Amino acid sequence: MKKTHTKIVKIRHQPNHVQFFANGFVNRSFPMLGPPTAESYGPSAPPATMFDSMPGYEGTVAGGGGFLPPPMPAYPGPQPTPGPEQPNWNIPSISEDTAREAFMLFASSKCCYSSAPAKDGVITNMAAFNTYRYRLETFTESRSTEWSQEPYSGQTVDAYAQPPPEPWDIPANSPGLFVDGRQCIRVPYTSSLKNCDSCVGMGRKPCKYCAGAGNKLCRLCNGYGFRIGFNRCYHCNGRGRENCNHCNGQGSRMCEICHGKRQFLVFKILNVQWTNITEDYVVEQCSGLQLKNLRKVSGKELFKESQPMVDPVIGFPDPNVVQASQQLVNEHQGKYQQTSRILRQRQTIELIPVTKVAYKWKEETHIYFVYGNELKVSADNYPATCCCSVM
């Protein structure tokens, strides 16, 4: 009998992964391919049809519907206010000792300033400048509405039980006069139930990591089921696929929008904002001191008035203050009444003391300023400074 010898040929990891066996059988073992990966499911934002139209809140959209015009004020308009009465508008100049003490304190606060000019300099002249500061404060309340939603967990549903209150009829807690604040209020009788549009009311969505299959290619054998030759992949037990660890093999995950609740409670939010708008006007007296230095100091209060709405001051000795008051009052009342309710206005006039001091040190004349009730000092060209550095 003639013996036939059959040679076994194995070709590993060919592009089509073909294996030849002794009996002539050709095994083409292809990886098990899963469905294409889905990047996202469902819309990223709720549709406009999800929100009902409510009387008094027409045009409200998700994210805010703009500021609501306030109702007409119930109080009468402001009456002309006479100007402040003060027989003497001048502040006496500070003493030489006070000026020198403020200058020495200023020099000691600077690490690179020598105290010699402040201590040994000879004061040759002191001049006082009356600097008026007019300030107008307008305290406003503005309201806007927007749609909001939260996963439904048994909250009260009261939409259409009765008409919702008008936006400006809802009471709000003010933080106090001339103090900024904000409050968010859920509008009564606007809460209704809507299915979650992202998961179509199912509470779950196909897993985007496995495209809803519940499994994916084995990361060790790349879907072949074998790792080396005929060795079965121990990770997937030869299946070529492994369970998706993101959905635990279920093929779906809890909807991250409704948190699996399937429904949303949709309601209106009223945003109430209180804002204190402040504007200053400082009368320039040509002293040479920059006006920015006066922003953080106080002065002697000559006049103060607080009303629901003030009227420009009249009869003040400096016409620049009268003109500034008229301009700012008209601007505030004309501008902020369009979108806000003016709750209160306050206007003040301060006299900020400014003293220009000339002194001589080492045969040269220099100047500095002492200003405000705080006796701040400004000396731009201090004559004895040094450069120091920290290593």
Side-chain angles (χ1 to χ4, degrees):
M1 179 181 294
K2 185 178 180 180
K3 295 183 179 180
T4 302
H5 298 278
T6 303
K7 186 177 180 181
I8 300 176
V9 180
K10 295 190 295 181
I11 303 177
R12 299 180 181 177
H13 305 294
Q14 293 296 324
N16 58 356
H17 201 77
V18 178
Q19 291 180 332
F20 298 91
F21 297 97
N23 56 5
F25 176 76
V26 179
N27 177 29
R28 290 183 174 86
S29 177
F30 295 95
M32 298 175 63
L33 301 178
T37 303
E39 295 296 333
S40 60
Y41 293 87
S44 58
T49 55
M50 188 173 183
F51 307 114
D52 299 329
S53 178
M54 297 284 179
Y57 295 86
E58 295 83 357
T60 303
V61 296
F67 291 106
L68 304 170
M72 295 297 294
Y75 48 82
Q79 301 299 321
T81 303
E85 296 181 0
Q86 179 78 15
N88 184 13
W89 296 97
N90 296 321
I91 294 180
S93 175
I94 59 177
S95 66
E96 184 174 318
D97 291 339
T98 300
R100 184 179 300 276
E101 182 180 353
F103 198 27
M104 292 178 62
L105 185 63
F106 165 78
S108 64
S109 67
K110 307 292 184 179
C111 65
C112 299
Y113 282 22
S114 169
S115 61
K119 181 180 179 180
D120 302 329
V122 178
I123 296 178
T124 58
N125 184 50
M126 295 177 59
F129 292 85
N130 292 327
T131 304
Y132 300 116
R133 177 168 61 196
Y134 173 81
R135 173 172 293 167
L136 176 63
E137 298 174 84
T138 300
F139 184 56
T140 66
E141 176 185 332
S142 59
R143 298 192 172 196
S144 63
T145 60
E146 63 178 308
W147 279 106
S148 185
Q149 61 187 31
E150 60 187 27
Y152 180 65
S153 300
Q155 302 94 316
T156 301
V157 179
D158 58 6
Y160 303 106
Q162 66 181 64
E166 294 288 334
W168 284 95
D169 292 338
I170 299 175
N173 299 321
S174 171
L177 290 177
F178 306 105
V179 178
D180 292 348
R182 186 179 180 89
Q183 185 179 5
C184 296
I185 305 172
R186 182 178 297 190
V187 180
Y189 308 111
T190 61
S191 300
S192 61
L193 283 181
K194 302 294 180 181
N195 285 335
C196 176
D197 186 71
S198 181
C199 63
V200 200
M202 300 298 294
R204 301 186 67 85
K205 298 170 62 176
C207 177
K208 64 181 181 180
Y209 297 96
C210 64
N215 55 71
K216 52 186 178 180
L217 289 178
C218 176
R219 64 179 180 272
L220 294 185
C221 68
N222 199 28
Y224 291 107
F226 296 88
R227 297 193 61 193
I228 301 177
F230 296 102
N231 295 328
R232 178 178 294 178
C233 177
Y234 67 88
H235 185 73
C236 64
N237 200 23
R239 295 190 303 120
R241 301 188 69 82
E242 60 177 319
N243 285 344
C244 176
N245 56 359
H246 293 280
C247 64
N248 296 322
Q250 299 182 30
S252 64
R253 305 178 69 196
M254 184 182 70
C255 177
E256 68 276 7
I257 305 298
C258 68
H259 304 295
K261 300 299 183 180
R262 302 185 180 184
Q263 290 181 307
F264 279 109
L265 185 72
V266 181
F267 51 90
K268 286 187 180 291
I269 288 291
L270 176 67
N271 296 310
V272 186
Q273 184 172 343
W274 294 273
T275 307
N276 188 42
I277 304 155
T278 303
E279 286 194 68
D280 294 342
Y281 177 81
V282 179
V283 178
E284 176 61 63
Q285 292 293 336
C286 300
S287 64
L289 178 66
Q290 296 184 13
L291 296 181
K292 65 179 183 180
N293 293 319
L294 303 179
R295 294 173 183 172
K296 297 183 179 180
V297 297
S298 61
K300 179 182 178 182
E301 189 175 274
L302 303 177
F303 172 72
K304 184 176 183 179
E305 179 195 24
S306 179
Q307 298 288 342
M309 292 181 68
V310 300
D311 199 77
V313 296
I314 56 176
F316 193 77
D318 194 316
N320 293 312
V321 174
V322 175
Q323 183 178 357
S325 174
Q326 182 177 5
Q327 179 180 346
L328 290 179
V329 168
N330 291 337
E331 287 181 356
H332 278 218
Q333 294 179 3
K335 178 179 180 180
Y336 298 113
Q337 284 191 107
Q338 302 298 321
T339 58
S340 307
R341 172 191 285 173
I342 297 180
L343 301 179
R344 198 81 176 174
Q345 285 188 305
R346 180 168 62 190
Q347 57 183 350
T348 57
I349 300 175
E350 291 177 281
L351 180 56
I352 303 176
V354 176
T355 302
K356 183 177 182 180
V357 183
Y359 69 99
K360 182 174 289 187
W361 187 70
K362 290 186 176 181
E363 303 303 323
E364 293 186 2
T365 300
H366 307 276
I367 62 171
Y368 66 90
F369 296 91
V370 182
Y371 57 96
N373 292 338
E374 298 80 2
L375 298 178
K376 294 286 186 179
V377 172
S378 174
D380 292 338
N381 298 315
Y382 194 77
T385 62
C386 62
C387 297
C388 59
S389 61
V390 178
M391 300 300 294

